[in-house]
Amino acid sequence: MTVVYIDLLFLLNLIANYLLLLAAGRMAGAVLIRWRIGLGAAAGALYAALIFLPGLDWLAAWPCKLAAGVLLALVAYGGERNFLRITVLFFGASAALAGAVLGFELLGSASLTLEYGVLYTPVDIRLLLLSFTVCYFVLSLFFRRVGQHGGKLTSLKITLGEQTVDVTALRDTGHTVTDPADNRPVVVAYCRSLAGALPEWADPTDPIRSVERCHAAGSRQARLIPYRAVGVECGMLLALRSRQVTVDGKEMGRLLVALSPTPLDDGRGYQALIGGV
């Protein structure tokens, strides 16, 4: 008879769900809101624990498992334009993790799962955590390789004020928007991906008015950036001076971040553009 410690079961599934949701979001190029991902992971861990309570074994039925998976994705990424894609990737990542766990079980001497396929081990916790980490990095590596077609997808950390936001960007050598003051590259980001970090006066649909409101508030953070695009001979974007932009772990300093009022991606799941820095 196996003794199940609910707290350990909850913790292991919390970590696994968090990494799976994070991997799915990164692969889909979604906006990563960490607290929502954590909340979704906690909901999944609670579901795994409830299965083993008396009278609740019916929760292990496939329709319930399917509904629980969709709920996790909804909590973490509800409202995203590519929510369906994220959900499919989440189920795919879960299947990949299940395969990896089975492989570790066949290679090792201890079981890493309980009945119904719920992750749990009272002995080889390090082995289970290793399987989580390996799966996450394999999926991330695969995504990076795929994303190199027609421009490399890269990870950006943008700090505006006290808030830091993670976004996926297309690093494109054809992207030539620069800061007129110092000729440094300008990050162009979809405004919705930075919504939680934008000041109240920032309205990307009315850049001139936003700059006026910024100056009226005693700040010089905002400015206008001219740009050209298909169908736009000479337009203006609202740009904010960041506190820090980090590209794949490399600090690039206080770059300007221009806010696009419309999505930038071509179906490949990025929220920003940056030149070949």
Side-chain angles (χ1 to χ4, degrees):
M1 179 178 178
T2 303
V3 177
V4 178
Y5 296 93
I6 294 296
D7 55 347
L8 180 57
L9 184 148
F10 181 88
L11 176 62
L12 292 177
N13 283 272
L14 175 68
I15 296 172
N17 291 332
Y18 185 88
L19 292 178
L20 289 172
L21 288 169
L22 185 62
R26 287 194 180 281
M27 285 189 285
V31 178
L32 304 177
I33 304 177
R34 303 287 178 157
W35 70 266
R36 287 187 59 181
I37 296 175
L39 186 60
L46 178 61
Y47 166 75
L50 288 175
I51 291 176
F52 292 92
L53 295 181
L56 294 180
D57 54 343
W58 57 270
L59 289 172
W62 280 108
C64 294
K65 287 186 176 181
L66 182 63
V70 173
L71 177 62
L72 265 64
L74 187 63
V75 172
Y77 298 107
E80 282 286 332
R81 291 188 306 119
N82 53 351
F83 173 73
L84 180 59
R85 182 184 179 192
I86 297 171
T87 304
V88 171
L89 287 170
F90 172 63
F91 279 105
S94 300
L97 177 61
V101 169
L102 177 60
F104 278 114
E105 285 184 334
L106 295 176
L107 292 174
S109 58
S111 175
L112 302 180
T113 57
L114 292 170
E115 191 179 358
Y116 314 123
V118 175
L119 293 168
Y120 182 82
T121 173
V123 180
D124 294 336
I125 298 177
R126 288 176 297 179
L127 183 60
L128 188 59
L129 293 178
L130 176 63
S131 69
F132 297 164
T133 306
V134 168
C135 280
Y136 175 76
F137 282 107
V138 167
L139 288 169
S140 298
L141 179 62
F142 173 76
F143 173 60
R144 285 174 182 269
R145 292 289 179 87
V146 172
Q148 288 177 356
H149 175 68
K152 182 181 178 182
L153 294 179
T154 189
S155 175
L156 260 62
K157 288 183 179 294
I158 300 175
T159 302
L160 294 171
E162 301 299 322
Q163 301 294 322
T164 298
V165 182
D166 293 327
V167 298
T168 300
L170 178 66
R171 184 184 293 189
D172 184 4
T173 54
H175 175 65
T176 58
V177 180
T178 57
D179 186 346
D182 55 15
N183 204 37
R184 298 198 68 197
V186 173
V187 177
V188 178
Y190 179 32
C191 60
R192 184 171 177 266
S193 67
L194 304 177
L198 298 181
E200 294 181 357
W201 45 259
D203 180 4
T205 64
D206 191 354
I208 296 177
R209 176 60 178 160
S210 295
V211 172
E212 292 174 348
R213 293 175 63 189
C214 172
H215 292 175
S219 173
R220 291 293 183 268
Q221 182 185 7
R223 66 179 63 181
L224 298 175
I225 294 291
Y227 77 99
R228 290 183 179 181
V230 177
V232 180
E233 181 62 27
C234 184
M236 289 289 179
L237 291 176
L238 173 64
L240 306 182
R241 178 67 67 183
S242 67
R243 289 185 59 190
Q244 183 65 258
V245 172
T246 303
V247 181
D248 280 344
K250 179 182 178 181
E251 294 185 354
M252 302 302 299
R254 303 179 69 243
L255 298 182
L256 280 177
V257 179
L259 305 177
S260 170
T262 58
L264 300 168
D265 71 334
D266 55 4
R268 292 171 53 198
Y270 54 85
Q271 304 90 41
L273 294 172
I274 189 169
V277 294

